[in-house]
Amino acid sequence: MNGYTMEKLEERISYHFQNRALLEQALTHSSFTNEQKKVKTPNYERLEFLGDAVLELVSSEYLFQTVKNLPEGEMTKRRASMVCEPSLAFCAKDLELGKFMRLGKGEESTGGRTRESIIADGMEALIGALYLDSGMEEAKRFIYRFVLNDLENKQLFYDSKSNLQEVVQANFKEEISYEIAGESGPEHNKAFLARVKLGKDVLGEGSGKTKKAAEQKAAYQALLKLRDKGYVFKKH
């Protein structure tokens, strides 16, 4: 769609598939398959299963090698936060992966290209496809480049509400509060605008497909503002 071809995605990830059918499958949602009447393209669910296992192994190795003296339980928690759905969706949005995916008409019309569950699954399916096409090293290169990069900002983003609560409690007397300041779009594809306030002052604004997502983005903007002012956040 609009130039978002498989070739374009290959350019973006700096890898050309030997077996193009694997990439095609990784980009195919079940809603697209279900709408096909004759030859049904396999959807990404089996590749997602494989990619999830590869991602868990690579992220485990990364933590083992880079974070010294961290107990097993803490490594498990950190790995879970690194590869959770919001984190993978964050990475997928950087790649604009949703624009490359093949969705059914119904899924398309209800905002499927930006739905976190779909694009996060698509990231895992793409990892699975890379693993089958070229082995672990190529899958690992992709994971390091597109998932395990810029972890500090990603951690700040997907833990934004709890991080903001911590820094405010440690440094301010006022409490934070959230409000939905507006909404737009048709009923099936609404966008919400959220604000987070410190006392009466607006610290950040954000928009999202759900109220929770909008609040998370507002909290992230507030954290960036506080970080620019020199406030320090705890390492989780």
Side-chain angles (χ1 to χ4, degrees):
M1 59 172 276
N2 298 325
Y4 288 94
T5 62
M6 287 192 288
E7 291 82 4
K8 188 71 175 177
L9 180 58
E10 286 179 319
E11 286 179 23
R12 195 162 289 188
I13 66 174
S14 302
Y15 179 79
H16 292 276
F17 276 79
Q18 302 169 67
N19 182 357
R20 181 62 68 80
L22 286 169
L23 177 58
E24 186 176 337
Q25 183 179 351
L27 297 174
T28 302
H29 187 257
S30 58
S31 61
F32 183 90
T33 302
N34 293 338
E35 288 182 5
Q36 292 180 297
K37 293 182 179 178
K38 294 184 179 179
V39 180
K40 292 184 179 290
T41 306
N43 65 52
Y44 63 53
E45 290 171 4
R46 285 174 59 83
L47 286 176
E48 175 206 342
F49 169 81
L50 179 61
D52 174 66
V54 174
L55 178 59
E56 183 168 310
L57 176 59
V58 172
S59 57
S60 298
E61 180 189 47
Y62 172 85
L63 281 172
F64 185 84
Q65 292 179 344
T66 60
V67 186
K68 306 298 182 183
N69 303 319
L70 196 65
E72 179 270 341
E74 290 302 314
M75 285 200 296
T76 300
K77 289 179 185 177
R78 189 170 297 192
R79 181 185 64 198
S81 68
M82 285 162 53
V83 299
C84 67
E85 183 180 291
S87 175
L88 288 176
F90 190 100
C91 303
K93 287 171 186 174
D94 280 349
L95 263 179
E96 296 185 291
L97 186 62
K99 293 181 179 179
F100 293 95
M101 298 185 73
R102 305 199 300 174
L103 307 177
K105 292 177 182 177
E107 196 65 59
E108 174 97 47
S109 67
T110 55
R113 290 193 186 280
T114 57
R115 187 165 294 124
E116 288 194 348
S117 58
I118 290 178
I119 60 176
D121 289 349
M123 281 293 283
E124 290 183 328
L126 186 53
I127 291 167
L130 284 163
Y131 175 79
L132 288 179
D133 199 59
S134 269
M136 180 60 82
E137 283 308 307
E138 197 58 50
K140 184 175 179 178
R141 182 195 66 83
F142 175 87
I143 292 167
Y144 268 70
R145 181 179 173 190
F146 294 105
V147 180
L148 300 179
N149 66 324
D150 197 22
L151 280 177
E152 184 177 343
N153 275 325
K154 286 173 183 171
Q155 184 81 37
L156 202 61
F157 174 75
Y158 52 72
D159 286 344
S160 55
K161 291 184 77 171
S162 56
N163 280 330
L164 182 60
Q165 185 70 35
E166 284 184 16
V167 75
V168 166
Q169 287 179 341
N171 295 280
F172 300 94
K173 294 180 180 178
E174 300 96 329
E175 293 186 354
I176 55 172
S177 61
Y178 293 87
E179 66 179 25
I180 300 300
E183 55 184 74
S184 59
E187 194 63 37
H188 67 273
N189 193 23
K190 279 190 179 297
F192 297 92
L193 175 67
R195 290 188 182 128
V196 58
K197 291 183 173 182
L198 179 61
K200 295 182 179 180
D201 298 326
V202 175
L203 270 185
E205 289 187 345
S207 60
K209 297 295 183 182
T210 65
K211 293 177 182 179
K212 183 178 179 181
E215 289 177 354
Q216 183 181 11
K217 290 178 182 177
Y220 181 61
Q221 292 304 317
L223 284 167
L224 294 180
K225 185 183 292 185
L226 291 173
R227 187 172 66 179
D228 287 344
K229 291 182 178 180
Y231 292 97
V232 178
F233 307 116
K234 293 179 182 178
K235 298 288 186 182
H236 290 274

